[in-house]
Amino acid sequence: MSRTSKSIVAAAMVLIMVGALLSGCSKSVTEPGASGTPEKVTLRFIGMEQAGMTVDEQKAVAKEFEDKHPGVTVETTFVSYDALHDKLATALAGGGTAFDVLVVDNTWMAEFAAAGWLMDVTDKITPEMKQQTVDQDVTWRIVTYNGRLYGMPWMLDQKYFYYNEDMLKQAGFDAPPKTWEEMVKMARGMKQKGIVEYPIIWSWAQKEASNVDFVTLLYGFGGQLESAPGVASFNDDGAKKALQFMVDTLKEGISNPASTVSVEEDVRNTFSAGKAAFAINWLYMYDLANDPKESKVAGKVKLAMMPVSEAVLAKGIPSATSNDSMGMAVSAGSKNKELAWEFLHYFTSPEVQKRYAAHQLPIWKEAFSDPELLKAQPVTTKMFMEQFPYGHVKVHVPYYMEYSKIMQLSMQYAFSGQKTPAQSLDEAVGQVNKLAQQYKQ
Amino acid sequence: MRDSRWQEYRFAYLLIIPSLVLLSGIILYPILDNFVISLYKYDLTKPWFRPFVALGNYQDLIHNPEFWASVGRAAYFTAASVSLEVILGLAIALFLNMQFPGRGILKTLVILPWAVPTVVSAIMWKWIFDANYGALNGLLLQLGVINQYQAWLTRPITAMNLIVAADVWHQTPFVVFIFLAALTTIPDALYEAARVDGAGALRSFQRITLPLLRPAFLIVFVVRTMEAFRVFDLIYVMTGGGPANATQVVTYYTYVSTFSYLHLGDGAAQSFLVSAFILVLSVAYIKLLGSQVEY
């Protein structure tokens, strides 16, 4: 081979490689949907594989939408709650084309909206739509940031108090506890009689799940998350009593020691295996814990109002729980925003929500007077309406993920005995308020 | 003569240019981009606020106790898991290097844990350590070591050590096979000569086997330290950094800072510091173990 032909061969190879590299880059930018015929559109939906509607139910809704819209394909992706935020954040930060329709927790809405990642749908929500939902204020707060709306409320959920009726009867109790103190007494009785080793199971792992239980107990002991808008106060008297209660019941073996590494699914598994008399969980557990295929205690599972402390009950407040709801939003980077909105609209419509109400109740007021729904879900619909007025929403700030971690850790330090509950909460509130200052800069 | 040699070199370089271009596209460019990001205060929650801070993120990290605590945990994890893996790996390799029936089957069995994907092995160990239905509880209860089920992963120090155990189970086979490969290259003549000279088994191990395994030690230490210091998937699945941050190693902290808190500048700076630590460690190993042994 002559010198020049060698150079030509080499130069050609360089060109080919560079060309391949560049075309590889540009290909990832164009949408696969755009290359086909114009009518063929692919919508990508990302949802959650935990609490609420099951994956199969969500897939079924996507299928219904496909049938109604020829040419439209809906691709679904499901991840666990604890993986969802990071998956959404990376997809949205990367341009937001990876998913068109997203399930977004109420606590992430501020963060994503502030970053400009969600489609502003304020003009699409009519006053009638607002009036038709269960509670105008609480329901729409899920998707509101700075007075603008960024999606549709989708799952109105709150923590419910579950108990195993059989175990209570065996121990000689004929009604569920009204206060946390009463629950502790009943638990002691059951433990002594050997009915159950650890009477209550919670989701207190170092995850978001622990904050939900903490908020429930914090309000149950008379505390408040904020003393004024933007000023954290989860180190007030009620909060400290709540965390002390958590630590004490762990020490005494009333709360299952595995609580501190459990999330909601672990709670469901433990309770369904008959290894707990009481449990705190979302609505979805009611159907699953009463399903003989999923549970050893099917038929014995009952719901009651979330207890409060004796002191709070004496003030005339009979219950306190966490209201932790999720919305659905359209990615600002979506190539098919209108169609995506239509899908989201269909997904959250009264008609669809009523049909899939076993694990997640509708956001629509009229559904709760619909005889068919009341007949299909007699227990949960009634419990939902009773418990809903006592729900407390978490804070909505763009730096929530860091806030959340600080709160989770404040509990963990108290559980492991590295700090006292009071010290741990004081430090955490100091950190959160510093975070708020930093964000304002 | 000299001219044609140079021609050959030039042709060789031209041939490797395509792969160089590819590598710089997928390795060099992201590294440089990451470095540029690390020079900005860049929070995705505040997209309008992105000031250039030069080495400000690095300075913040140097004064960040949570970062150093997570570096310390990674160092503990690395020291514990790598030393256990080397000791166990060497012992198993020496055993498998002997001639005995069934050796082939045993070799195949030994590699099995390494063939399991890390996430799968992490889920498996999480189940084994489970407080309510874990196999470890079942075993210890039947043996009478404990009188009731224990919630193993709820105790900070225990949780870290159990993750070390899971890593040792998963990674020891790799170490075994590196050592085994090196052992088979040591000529039997050396041992025979030693025997003739009256050296015992221990002495030939000290004077022949260990020195000749030096290159294998280097590979094992460098590769395993790099991997152990960056441990992520085991932690993500088994504990999520808990309890009380006791298993939050440095890569996990970097991940949380970047993808949960969305502090990209800070996260980029962290990843650079972690790479620097690993580089220093690797250079130290090469200096310590890299010298050639000649016989």
Side-chain angles (χ1 to χ4, degrees), chain A residues 24-327:
Chain A
C25 292
S26 60
K27 213 175 252 166
S28 65
V29 179
T30 48
E31 279 288 280
S35 58
T37 45
E39 310 93 62
K40 283 232 191 295
V41 185
T42 306
L43 272 185
R44 292 181 195 83
F45 166 72
I46 177 160
M48 184 178 65
E49 196 176 358
Q50 192 173 314
M53 284 170 76
T54 64
V55 166
D56 288 341
E57 289 169 345
Q58 295 179 64
K59 280 187 182 157
V61 177
K63 182 79 183 43
E64 289 168 20
F65 187 79
E66 283 178 344
D67 293 345
K68 287 187 183 178
H69 297 79
V72 175
T73 316
V74 182
E75 278 176 15
T76 53
T77 305
F78 299 96
V79 295
S80 73
Y81 173 84
D82 288 300
L84 185 59
H85 171 274
D86 300 354
K87 182 125 182 148
L88 286 176
T90 37
L92 292 167
T97 50
F99 300 109
D100 302 287
V101 183
L102 333 156
V103 166
V104 182
D105 198 6
N106 68 96
T107 50
W108 312 332
M109 209 56 88
E111 174 191 346
F112 292 177
W117 290 342
L118 304 178
M119 178 167 95
D120 185 329
V121 295
T122 314
D123 302 333
K124 294 180 186 289
I125 311 283
T126 60
E128 292 78 52
M129 281 165 80
K130 286 191 183 174
Q131 279 160 18
Q132 284 160 4
T133 51
V134 168
D135 179 308
Q136 257 205 68
D137 177 45
V138 173
T139 306
W140 291 92
R141 224 195 296 169
I142 302 169
V143 290
T144 305
Y145 178 64
N146 271 354
R148 307 291 294 177
L149 298 169
Y150 291 92
M152 275 295 283
W154 171 58
M155 174 163 70
L156 288 180
D157 215 342
Q158 48 192 351
K159 280 288 179 114
Y160 293 87
F161 187 77
Y162 288 84
Y163 65 97
N164 181 320
E165 199 180 26
D166 254 26
M167 290 187 183
L168 260 66
K169 275 187 185 150
Q170 277 179 52
F173 304 109
D174 46 12
K178 292 223 165 1
T179 64
W180 291 120
E181 287 88 346
E182 197 183 339
M183 186 205 77
V184 168
K185 268 179 218 146
M186 290 164 87
R188 271 184 203 135
M190 281 186 271
K191 210 175 152 73
Q192 273 158 15
K193 286 184 186 157
I195 295 166
V196 58
E197 187 165 3
Y198 301 117
I200 182 161
I201 176 81
W202 312 76
S203 53
W204 292 348
Q206 188 180 327
K207 303 257 166 116
E208 181 64 18
S210 61
N211 289 345
V212 185
D213 281 7
F214 180 58
V215 170
T216 300
L217 288 168
L218 177 144
Y219 282 96
F221 280 88
Q224 271 187 321
L225 279 175
E226 293 187 323
S227 55
V231 184
S233 66
F234 59 86
N235 60 337
D236 63 14
D237 195 39
K240 283 174 181 163
K241 276 184 191 151
L243 186 52
Q244 190 67 54
F245 170 84
M246 294 162 90
V247 171
D248 290 346
T249 54
L250 276 173
K251 255 187 213 154
E252 203 185 326
I254 285 171
S255 293
N256 190 321
S259 295
T260 63
V261 287
S262 296
V263 295
E264 295 90 339
E265 278 292 86
D266 305 308
V267 170
R268 177 166 83 84
N269 290 335
T270 308
F271 188 75
S272 299
K275 291 190 165 189
F278 306 109
I280 308 295
N281 212 335
W282 307 110
L283 185 87
Y284 83 114
M285 187 167 94
Y286 184 76
D287 182 68
L288 296 174
N290 274 318
D291 177 354
K293 271 179 277 168
E294 293 270 342
S295 165
K296 282 187 195 166
V297 295
K300 299 165 190 166
V301 180
K302 292 281 181 303
L303 284 169
M305 290 291 275
M306 188 69 73
V308 288
S309 71
E310 275 166 6
V312 169
L313 185 67
K315 281 185 203 152
I317 301 166
S319 182
T321 191
S322 272
N323 174 321
D324 212 353
S325 300
M326 297 186 97

Side-chain angles (χ1 to χ4, degrees), chain A residues 3 10 14 17 21 85-86 90 93 111 115 197 206 257-258 260-261 270 275 398 401-402 405 409 412 438-439, chain B residues 7-8 11 14 17-18 22 44-46 48 131-132 148 153-154 236 242-245 255 259-263:
Chain A
R3 194 205 302 176
V14 171
M17 295 306 287
L21 200 69
H85 171 274
D86 300 354
T90 37
E111 174 191 346
E197 187 165 3
Q206 188 180 327
T260 63
V261 287
T270 308
K275 291 190 165 189
M401 292 305 281
E402 245 174 309
K405 194 57 169 283
L409 273 174
Q412 292 285 323
Q438 277 169 359
Y439 188 77
Chain B
Q7 288 299 333
E8 285 298 313
F11 185 60
L14 278 171
I17 279 181
L22 258 182
L44 286 179
T45 50
K46 282 199 283 186
W48 61 88
N132 291 313
Q148 60 175 0
L153 293 172
T154 63
Y236 182 86
N245 267 0
Y255 167 82
F259 297 108
S260 291
Y261 304 165
L262 306 179
H263 300 326

Side-chain angles (χ1 to χ4, degrees), chain A residues 338-351:
Chain A
E338 289 310 312
L339 189 70
W341 173 253
E342 217 175 300
F343 175 73
L344 192 163
H345 201 69
Y346 179 72
F347 214 119
T348 53
S349 65
E351 183 257 325

